[in-house]
RNA sequence: CGGGGCGUAGCGCAGUCCGGUUAGCGCGCCUGGUUCGGGACCAGGAGGUCGGAGGUUCAAAUCCUCUCGCCCCGACCA
């Protein structure tokens, strides 16, 4: 196994990010520009993410379905903002079976159009509502510049699509999903997020409102980690998705769409990892515990083997994902480095010394090594995993808070974005003029108009930029 | 599309300016042995269209022209 050297974060953060991915074998560049291969160690994380999210979607009444990859080009054009927003990013198939197609097919950049065209057939009455769908799939958005996981031409995601009888119900759905995303980010990824609504310039093409979760990465750039859109009746009108109301009238459905993608893996890396490689939060670690046996003689080998197998069994019985590294071609120290680079949260070292003392040495990826009694190895390891999960979240949260500035002035905003970066909270008049000027001069965008929980107290009264009365509070940052 | 960097063994690189035997080095890989508690060592091996095409030359990894691709920064982007 060729190991990949890791550039320190302080030297070159972008290189560090790439190096961590290569070292941990999460992904690789593909022969096709802008695309990536997700390798087993990376895909394993995605599978765990899928399981967790899918469970939450099912619990809230959603069902999975699958809609086709190809969308007639004319469908995209039916919603004006939608086509305008996505036109530059489309991959279009013009030939099939050796012939030019009558109508070009778009490789889905998102599936609203094809889904609403189908919902129009399936929905007749308010009794058919709500429709709560989700699909796990790949999508393609042509990008000028790509980065592994964070922005690739093709990526994997889930897209939820729901149709409701009332505006309020759709709004509630969009909000509820945002809560799921937040819970997932914090409880599974140990990645704290702020929630709120996007400005018009940042919202999804075709949405009435876009809600989002935003996280702050280690380099103090923001990452949009998930979005949930209240679509109003925009797509329903474009695709004539109507239903008969209880009163006998005809109305267009109210709808939502929402998604998170393999970009989350990039967020996970950028939130937790260090100069030694990946740090994977235990709940999303394909391997949570690696057991490294140590022996010299055949006699020792037998005793160690027996103990290791016993430990592995009890950890598995305790619901943990364990790997026993029984390779005899590597010294223990070399294995330590390898598994650290791979991000495995807990390592158990078991040699003759441990066997004779009835213990195992438990090393945490986040630092620290201590013996645990073999009789308590499962609960002790479980506790270590839980502690690591909690520590990662609280460390990330305090880092975010240390790099958040409240009630910034114009000068502070400029200086901050030009220097350290981070989240800048301030008053905003709401004008596109100020928003654009700030973007031009600081390269920072409004990440969110934060939800009440995240707002400053007292609320800012004046616009950071123009000094006019503030209509809302905004959070600025440079973003991925 | 602009600016910068770069394509030589699986990975990381030297050699290129100033053309000259069989193109090297480290890591990894294979075989054998000794090792084994934080990246082991010795010996012997395998592995190359020097990104591609054309040109100059007695001779090209090296010089010239064209071309393909990758990374970083920018423009752009739920």
């Amino acid at each position: 196994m060729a190991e990949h050297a890791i550039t320190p974060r302080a030297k070159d953060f972008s290189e560090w990010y790439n190096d961590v991915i290569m070292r941990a074998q999460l992904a690789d560049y593909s022969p096709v520009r802008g695309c990536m291969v997700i390798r087993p160690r990376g895909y394993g994380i995605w599978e765990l993410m899928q399981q967790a999210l899918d469970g939450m979607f099912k619990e809230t009444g959603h069902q999975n379905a699958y809609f086709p990859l190809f969308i007639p080009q004319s469908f995209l054009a039916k919603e004006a903002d939608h086509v305008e927003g996505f036109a530059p990013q489309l991959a279009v198939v013009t030939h099939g079976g050796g012939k030019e197609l009558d109508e070009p097919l778009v490789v889905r950049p998102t599936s609203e159009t094809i889904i609403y065209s189908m919902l129009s057939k399936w929905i007749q009455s308010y009794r058919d509502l709500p429709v709560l769908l989700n699909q796990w799939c790949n999508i393609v958005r042509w990008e000028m510049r790509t980065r592994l996981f964070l922005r690739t031409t093709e990526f994997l995601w889930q897209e939820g699509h729901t149709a409701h009888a009332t505006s309020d119900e759709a709004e509630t759905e969009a909000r509820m999903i945002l809560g799921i995303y937040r819970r997932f980010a914090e409880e599974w990824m140990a990645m704290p997020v702020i929630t709120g609504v996007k400005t018009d310039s940042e919202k999804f093409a075709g949405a009435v409102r876009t809600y989002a979760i935003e996280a702050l990465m280690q380099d103090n750039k923001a990452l949009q980690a998930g979005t949930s859109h209240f679509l109003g009746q925009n797509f329903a009108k474009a695709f004539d998705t109507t239903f008969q109301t209880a009163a006998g009238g005809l109305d267009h459905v109210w709808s939502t769409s929402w998604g998170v993608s393999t970009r989350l893996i990039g967020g996970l890396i950028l939130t937790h990892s260090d100069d030694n490689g990946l740090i994977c939060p235990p709940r999303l670690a394909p391997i949570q515990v690696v057991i490294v046996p140590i022996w010299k003689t055949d006699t020792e080998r037998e005793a160690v083997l027996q103990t290791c197998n016993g430990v592995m069994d009890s950890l598995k019985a305790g619901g943990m994902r364990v790997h026993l590294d029984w390779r005899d071609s590597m010294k223990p120290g070399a294995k330590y480095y390898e598994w650290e680079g791979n991000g495995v949260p807990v390592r158990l070292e078991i040699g003759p010394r441990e066997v004779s003392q009835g213990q195992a040495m438990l090393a945490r990826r986040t630092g620290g090594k201590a013996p645990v009694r073999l009789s308590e190895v499962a609960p002790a390891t479980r506790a270590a995993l839980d502690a690591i999960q909690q520590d990662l979240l609280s460390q990330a949260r305090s880092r975010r808070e240390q790099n958040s500035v409240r009630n910034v002035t114009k000068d502070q905003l400029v200086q901050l974005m030009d220097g350290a970066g981070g989240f800048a909270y301030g008053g905003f008049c709401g004008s596109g003029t100020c928003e654009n000027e700030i973007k031009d001069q600081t390269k920072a965008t409004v990440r969110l108009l934060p939800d009440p929980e995240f707002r400053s107290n007292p609320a800012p009264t004046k616009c950071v930029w123009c000094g006019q009365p503030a209509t809302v509070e905004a959070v600025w940052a440079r973003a991925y």
Side-chain angles (χ1 to χ4, degrees):
Chain A
M1 285 286 164
E3 252 183 38
H4 196 283
I6 297 176
T7 306
R9 283 164 291 187
K11 188 180 172 202
D12 186 334
F13 196 84
S14 292
E15 273 305 311
W16 166 81
Y17 175 76
N18 290 334
D19 291 343
V20 168
I21 290 169
M22 291 301 167
R23 171 70 159 270
Q25 299 178 357
L26 301 180
D28 205 347
Y29 297 101
S30 92
V32 178
R33 179 196 188 86
C35 293
M36 70 186 290
V37 176
I38 304 177
R39 302 181 67 177
R41 291 187 196 285
Y43 200 79
I45 295 173
W46 180 238
E47 286 179 311
L48 290 166
M49 288 178 162
Q50 285 183 299
Q51 284 170 27
L53 286 164
D54 203 61
M56 291 191 262
F57 299 152
K58 300 264 173 66
E59 276 170 21
T60 47
H62 303 85
Q63 290 180 301
N64 285 332
Y66 186 78
F67 294 83
L69 174 70
F70 295 129
I71 298 175
Q73 193 171 42
S74 58
F75 278 31
L76 270 293
K78 291 192 180 188
E79 213 289 331
D81 290 336
H82 195 63
V83 68
E84 190 186 329
F86 279 109
Q89 290 185 278
L90 298 180
V92 183
V93 177
T94 56
H95 290 71
K99 292 180 189 166
E100 185 167 353
L101 301 173
D102 291 341
E103 181 183 356
L105 297 172
V106 168
V107 180
R108 65 182 162 219
T110 180
S111 302
E112 274 80 2
T113 56
I114 187 113
I115 288 178
Y116 287 98
S117 73
M118 296 310 296
L119 291 186
S120 298
K121 290 173 66 175
W122 299 339
I123 297 168
Q124 274 93 46
S125 142
Y126 71 96
R127 296 182 201 276
D128 298 324
L129 297 173
V131 175
L132 306 174
L133 295 176
N134 178 63
Q135 82 168 343
W136 292 94
C137 65
N138 60 338
I139 61 174
V140 167
R141 295 179 186 179
W142 219 259
E143 298 285 354
M144 299 175 89
R145 189 176 158 206
T146 57
R147 302 195 67 181
L148 294 173
F149 290 114
L150 297 171
R151 178 171 292 106
T152 48
T153 296
E154 179 193 12
F155 58 94
L156 306 182
W157 79 342
Q158 58 71 213
E159 49 178 324
H161 296 273
T162 68
H164 307 263
T166 67
S167 173
D168 281 354
E169 198 181 304
E171 177 73 32
T172 301
E173 165 80 10
R175 273 289 182 185
M176 189 267 295
I177 293 295
L178 190 74
I180 286 178
Y181 287 163
R182 178 187 178 180
R183 196 147 53 84
F184 175 76
E186 297 185 341
E187 293 179 8
W188 291 77
M189 298 177 66
M191 183 177 77
V193 294
I194 58 176
T195 63
V197 64
K198 289 283 181 183
T199 61
D200 283 351
S201 67
E202 296 277 331
K203 76 181 182 186
F204 175 69
V208 173
R209 256 190 303 286
T210 291
Y211 300 103
I213 56 172
E214 290 274 338
L216 192 64
M217 304 293 103
Q218 284 188 66
D219 59 347
N220 279 340
K221 286 171 74 175
L223 183 76
Q224 177 174 297
T227 49
S228 180
H229 316 288
F230 171 67
L231 302 174
Q233 294 175 309
N234 290 351
F235 285 92
K237 285 177 178 168
F239 287 88
D240 201 27
T241 313
T242 57
F243 69 101
Q244 207 160 29
T245 65
L250 201 61
D251 199 0
H252 289 97
V253 298
W254 299 82
S255 56
T256 77
S257 67
W258 28 276
V260 294
S261 72
T262 39
R263 169 180 258 200
L264 290 176
I265 298 173
L268 183 146
I269 296 163
L270 288 168
T271 299
H272 300 303
S273 300
D274 65 15
D275 288 349
N276 295 320
L278 181 69
I279 294 179
C280 196
R283 294 189 83 180
L284 292 175
I287 297 175
Q288 296 173 306
V289 184
V290 63
I291 302 172
V292 178
I294 300 161
W295 78 94
K296 288 180 193 162
T297 66
D298 284 350
T299 319
E300 286 174 348
R301 183 190 155 97
E302 274 313 301
V304 168
L305 174 65
Q306 202 172 356
T307 303
C308 287
N309 281 332
V311 168
M312 186 161 69
D313 288 346
S314 66
L315 293 185
K316 280 183 177 171
M320 286 167 267
R321 296 184 286 273
V322 196
H323 176 74
L324 174 57
D325 186 354
W326 200 254
R327 289 174 294 179
D328 60 2
S329 57
M330 280 174 95
K331 291 177 73 175
K335 294 181 182 177
Y336 301 167
Y337 281 96
E338 183 175 306
W339 292 112
E340 279 166 11
N342 288 340
V344 175
V346 165
R347 176 179 74 239
L348 289 173
E349 305 167 9
I350 299 176
R353 202 184 301 159
E354 282 73 26
V355 172
S356 67
Q357 293 171 4
Q359 63 184 31
M361 198 60 78
L362 187 155
R364 300 183 184 197
R365 177 62 181 82
T366 47
K369 200 193 262 200
V372 296
R373 301 235 305 266
L374 285 179
S375 56
E376 297 166 3
V377 68
T381 304
R382 175 84 267 160
L385 290 171
D386 290 346
I388 291 167
Q389 184 80 32
Q390 286 310 311
D391 288 349
L392 289 174
L393 177 61
S394 60
Q395 282 167 23
R397 183 170 275 137
S398 65
R399 175 173 54 72
R400 181 189 71 188
E401 290 311 308
Q402 282 163 16
N403 290 290
S404 296
V405 180
R406 297 276 173 175
N407 211 7
V408 285
T409 63
K410 184 172 182 174
D411 288 345
Q412 281 177 326
L413 180 64
V414 172
Q415 282 173 21
L416 190 70
M417 293 308 151
D418 208 34
F423 279 147
Y425 290 72
F428 179 41
C429 66
S431 82
T433 310
C434 283
E435 193 175 351
N436 285 332
E437 282 186 19
I438 292 171
K439 188 175 177 180
D440 290 344
Q441 294 185 33
T442 69
K443 291 170 188 164
T445 48
V446 174
R447 301 319 304 156
L448 288 174
L449 307 178
D451 285 333
E453 178 185 341
F454 300 98
R455 286 177 203 160
S456 305
N457 186 16
T461 55
K462 289 182 176 176
C463 177
V464 163
W465 205 252
C466 67
Q468 295 296 304
T471 56
V472 289
E473 181 170 19
V475 181
W476 281 274
R478 288 190 183 175
Y480 273 101

